[in-house]
Amino acid sequence: MFTYDRKRIRNFSIIAHIDHGKSTLADRLLELTHTVEAREMQEQYLDNMDLERERGITIKARPVTMYYQANDGQIYQINLIDTPGHVDFAYEVSRSLSACEGALLVVDAVQGVQAQTLANVHLAVERNLEILPVINKIDLPAADPESVKKQIEEVIGIDASHAVLISAKANIGIAPVLERILTDVPPPKEPEDSLLRALVFDSHYDPYRGVMVYVRIVSGEMSKKSLIRFMATNKSFEINEVGVFTPNEKPTDVLRPGEVGYFVANIKNTADVKIGDTVTMHKMPAPTPLPGFKVISPVVFAGIYPIDSSDFEAVRDALLKLQLNDSALHVEQESSLALGFGFRCGFLGLLHLEIVFERLTREFDLAIITTAPSVIYRVTLNNGDVLSVDNPARYPDQVMVDFVEEPWVKVHIMTPTDYLGAIMSLTMDKRGELLKTETMSATHLLLTYRLPMNEIITDFNDKLKSVTRGYASFDYETDDYEQSDIVKLEIRVNEEPVDAFSCLVHRTKAETKGRAICAKLKEVIPQQLFKVPVQAAIGGKIVARETISAITKNVTAKCYGGDITRKRKLWEKQKEGKKKMKEIGKVNIPQSAFMDVLKAE
């Protein structure tokens, strides 16, 4: 039985690129410490969302407390905080790492160091964590642990001579990993005083008990009936329950310095809890919050609309619940002429958008559509005012615009040398600038590019994977704004602008994009009784046009022979009717057309 001793607590997380075996290693650790009984065990135990299992990625951070009897006979409390691997969840990773003293760096013995491994290692190094390299999948025929060790030393700059060689799937070398965690990862620091300071690193919504907050205690103690206060929102609550995760919630009497656990306090409003906030006592608060809290700013915006307008309230509630354990999701209400009422949402990247869309449709069973994603442009008007525009509908008239700036990002691409040419032509097509090329090993390169953000948010990842057969990986960080020739591409159906299809693009790309959208709309809009022009325009200039031909009726079918003038009279009458119909006719665009156009891009 573990009796509390700060020196026998270890807090660590696992950082790795997607698919390098992080969740499998976590499974083995749970088995070895008997935290989960063999009969309850299932693969990727901590990834409990269907979506995480299907895609093989971790989306939510999951903490778990394990008790382990070491070779020295002592029982240790080991807290693992499982972190997501993808760049879109970087803030979540950074909060989880702040709650730890060490990190296991898991690298695939076949693929070596990848772009997102690098990004997450830098987050760990910034926080002065003890990093323990672990080389996984050594049982595969193509594994080459020695060259991977060299790569870790050259690229990341950590000593990998003592790296632990394991195979999580075949259960090889797992016990030495635990022993190394005990020797290499330092115990939590001595608290400076007895005032309560607890870092909030995650939370989720329980429909019966309200918000469940995940915390790491830095100093002081937290127990049932304590009156606590959140320092960022300044709200106070009384605690109903504290406990630890083993992996399911297990109530305890008290949480002490260095421990990781949760508390429930009748928090009904999801906005009261911010990830990265500090919890302290209401009566004797800590003078300053823990460092590192920041309000995270989204980079990609898209509209989310219910297909049936009566679902509007349900979509709003669902978004608020998702916002709780996803502090980076930004939501505000908006309406569109074509789609009715909906929400403008901000995301950290395209995978983030995809995951939110999937979770809304699955967990809340909603029928929704999203508009094309866009980034925030800075528009300077002739009178000197500066506007931030994330929605094409809010773009001012071109005559009033002095210049437009768009956000750029620094992109790090790791690739086998064979695909260098293919990547260069892809990045040239995306208006990229090569900053530097570094040789990582005889077969791998690290390319650093500057690219406009709006070029990489739609399909850059898919194209990169297809030109390199899935071997290249990339990771990006935001750079700064730069002046650019951005124009609003307006799509008009039967002379009426449709705001849901309009987008902001670079002038060189406007014509190609306009043609693609018009061609797609011609396929998906049903024929009317009159001709319907579909046009793409920049300002007053039409850059692309398609015409949906009319459904015609043969009005002269009843005329047998006789004079041609009889037929002409009927044709003229039909022409007049069509003309009149065109003036008053309305074109209804089917809901499916919106989805098809988004896919066409």
Side-chain angles (χ1 to χ4, degrees):
M1 194 56 210
F2 177 78
T3 46
Y4 176 76
D5 174 0
R6 188 179 47 79
K7 294 197 171 72
R8 283 188 288 140
I9 295 179
R10 299 288 183 273
N11 296 320
F12 76 102
S13 71
I14 305 179
I15 47 182
H17 186 75
I18 289 174
D19 209 22
H20 279 204
K22 176 161 59 80
S23 301
T24 316
L25 174 59
D27 289 349
R28 294 294 92 82
L29 295 175
L30 291 176
E31 280 176 5
L32 188 66
T33 54
H34 304 293
T35 307
V36 179
E37 291 304 317
R39 63 198 158 91
E40 290 172 7
M41 195 63 202
Q42 53 171 345
E43 276 190 29
Q44 297 174 357
Y45 190 88
L46 294 179
D47 294 349
N48 57 351
M49 258 194 260
D50 293 343
L51 221 93
E52 294 181 310
R53 296 178 162 282
E54 271 168 39
R55 291 179 171 230
I57 59 176
T58 304
I59 296 167
K60 291 304 315 149
R62 274 287 301 276
V64 55
T65 300
M66 305 180 274
Y67 297 102
Y68 174 63
Q69 186 162 10
N71 294 344
D72 60 6
Q74 299 268 26
I75 293 181
Y76 287 85
Q77 178 185 348
I78 303 177
N79 295 312
L80 157 64
I81 300 173
D82 188 25
T83 60
H86 196 275
V87 51
D88 283 6
F89 307 113
Y91 179 64
E92 211 158 286
V93 176
S94 80
R95 292 299 80 217
S96 302
L97 292 177
S98 301
C100 303
E101 278 79 33
L104 295 185
L105 168 66
V106 178
V107 182
D108 188 320
V110 180
Q111 294 181 338
V113 176
Q114 299 279 308
Q116 278 150 24
T117 322
L118 270 182
N120 288 344
V121 164
H122 290 317
L123 287 174
V125 172
E126 273 169 32
R127 285 171 179 66
N128 295 327
L129 298 193
E130 189 59 49
I131 296 172
L132 174 62
V134 174
I135 297 174
N136 190 14
K137 307 192 186 182
I138 53 163
D139 56 332
L140 295 182
D144 186 356
E146 288 312 309
S147 74
V148 172
K149 278 186 190 176
K150 266 198 210 127
Q151 215 179 352
I152 294 175
E153 287 177 0
E154 287 167 12
V155 179
I156 303 173
I158 355 180
D159 174 26
S161 53
H162 300 299
V164 191
L165 303 182
I166 66 162
S167 166
K169 200 156 223 171
N171 210 348
I172 302 168
I174 308 298
V177 174
L178 274 170
E179 290 293 334
R180 284 289 296 278
I181 290 170
L182 301 181
T183 54
D184 291 21
V185 175
K189 287 195 187 84
E190 177 82 39
E192 51 190 82
D193 52 32
S194 60
L195 298 176
L196 174 66
R197 290 183 190 80
L199 172 77
V200 177
F201 64 88
D202 205 353
S203 59
H204 81 260
Y205 189 78
D206 182 312
Y208 304 107
R209 299 191 287 174
V211 180
M212 185 174 280
V213 186
Y214 299 17
V215 286
R216 148 78 201 261
I217 311 290
V218 177
S219 64
E221 293 188 353
M222 180 185 276
S223 57
K224 203 171 167 176
K225 297 273 183 272
S226 311
L227 194 62
I228 51 113
R229 169 148 43 109
F230 288 98
M231 293 181 89
T233 53
N234 220 1
K235 296 279 173 69
S236 299
F237 298 97
E238 184 184 330
I239 295 183
N240 302 341
E241 181 187 305
V242 296
V244 293
F245 294 96
T246 61
N248 303 325
E249 297 102 39
K250 176 184 167 196
T252 56
D253 300 330
V254 62
L255 286 177
R256 299 186 177 91
E259 295 195 303
V260 172
Y262 69 91
F263 70 85
V264 180
N266 275 341
I267 306 169
K268 287 289 178 271
N269 186 1
T270 54
D272 293 340
V273 181
K274 300 262 186 268
I275 308 289
D277 194 358
T278 304
V279 174
T280 187
M281 284 294 174
H282 181 65
K283 293 269 171 58
M284 304 241 320
T288 53
L290 297 166
F293 173 68
K294 61 172 192 258
V295 177
I296 192 97
S297 53
V299 290
V300 176
F301 284 85
I304 289 187
Y305 292 87
I307 285 179
D308 179 0
S309 52
S310 60
D311 286 345
F312 176 76
E313 294 287 321
V315 173
R316 186 176 61 198
D317 293 347
L319 281 168
L320 286 175
K321 282 177 188 159
L322 278 191
Q323 223 175 351
L324 176 71
N325 60 8
D326 190 345
S327 55
L329 177 64
H330 170 86
V331 180
E332 58 184 62
Q333 204 172 313
E334 71 164 6
S335 65
S336 137
L337 289 173
L339 299 167
F341 286 103
F343 298 90
R344 189 93 190 144
C345 299
F347 306 93
L348 292 184
L350 220 62
L351 178 79
H352 190 198
L353 183 152
E354 238 177 274
I355 296 296
V356 168
F357 181 78
E358 290 267 337
R359 285 183 71 184
L360 284 173
T361 47
R362 290 181 183 204
E363 292 174 28
F364 301 97
D365 201 19
L366 295 166
I368 50 175
I369 61 170
T370 64
T371 61
S374 73
V375 295
I376 307 177
Y377 295 96
R378 271 207 289 228
V379 180
T380 306
L381 304 178
N382 296 333
N383 62 4
D385 289 358
V386 180
L387 305 175
S388 291
V389 177
D390 61 51
N391 186 347
R394 296 190 196 141
Y395 189 76
D397 195 354
Q398 199 71 39
V399 188
M400 298 157 62
V401 176
D402 185 14
F403 61 88
V404 183
E405 294 168 297
E406 66 173 336
W408 283 63
V409 290
K410 261 199 187 129
V411 177
H412 306 286
I413 302 175
M414 302 196 63
T415 171
T417 40
D418 314 351
Y419 303 112
L420 182 62
I423 290 177
M424 285 191 140
S425 65
L426 171 67
T427 44
M428 271 170 66
D429 187 40
K430 297 281 185 193
R431 303 189 282 133
E433 305 165 1
L434 180 62
L435 297 180
K436 59 180 179 184
T437 312
E438 296 167 75
T439 309
M440 297 180 46
S441 66
T443 54
H444 277 72
L445 294 172
L446 172 61
L447 310 171
T448 308
Y449 271 95
R450 273 189 84 228
L451 283 148
M453 179 93 197
N454 76 343
E455 295 285 352
I456 67 164
I457 59 170
T458 42
D459 57 358
F460 183 74
N461 192 23
D462 300 349
K463 285 191 172 161
L464 180 71
K465 292 286 180 210
S466 59
V467 299
T468 62
R469 300 190 188 156
Y471 283 113
S473 60
F474 93 107
D475 168 71
Y476 65 87
E477 52 191 325
T478 47
D479 203 19
D480 51 3
Y481 275 77
E482 203 169 282
Q483 199 169 323
S484 187
D485 192 3
I486 298 290
V487 290
K488 179 180 178 181
L489 182 70
E490 192 175 67
I491 304 294
R492 300 175 188 168
V493 176
N494 197 23
E495 313 288 337
E496 292 279 319
V498 183
D499 60 350
F501 294 137
S502 303
C503 51
L504 299 173
V505 286
H506 194 264
R507 198 181 288 275
T508 54
K509 302 273 174 95
E511 196 174 318
T512 352
K513 188 153 188 171
R515 283 196 178 156
I517 295 178
C518 288
K520 193 74 197 170
L521 282 175
K522 185 182 177 182
E523 285 173 31
V524 294
I525 294 180
Q527 280 184 313
Q528 310 290 321
L529 288 165
F530 50 92
K531 275 187 185 170
V532 178
V534 179
Q535 299 161 317
I538 299 170
K541 185 183 170 203
I542 305 289
V543 291
R545 169 178 171 138
E546 293 281 349
T547 308
I548 301 170
S549 52
I551 302 172
T552 51
K553 181 184 174 193
N554 187 358
V555 285
T556 57
K558 60 187 179 206
C559 302
Y560 297 102
D563 195 359
I564 186 73
T565 49
R566 280 182 67 198
K567 290 187 177 178
R568 261 199 206 125
K569 205 157 105 192
L570 289 168
W571 284 331
E572 286 301 322
K573 200 169 163 192
Q574 185 184 28
K575 208 163 159 187
E576 285 301 312
K578 296 260 180 208
K579 200 168 166 187
K580 196 168 170 188
M581 203 184 286
K582 190 175 166 64
E583 282 167 20
I584 58 167
K586 271 241 186 288
V587 181
N588 278 334
I589 301 171
Q591 206 76 48
S592 59
F594 293 99
M595 290 309 284
D596 289 340
V597 169
L598 289 186
K599 288 183 187 131
E601 295 168 30

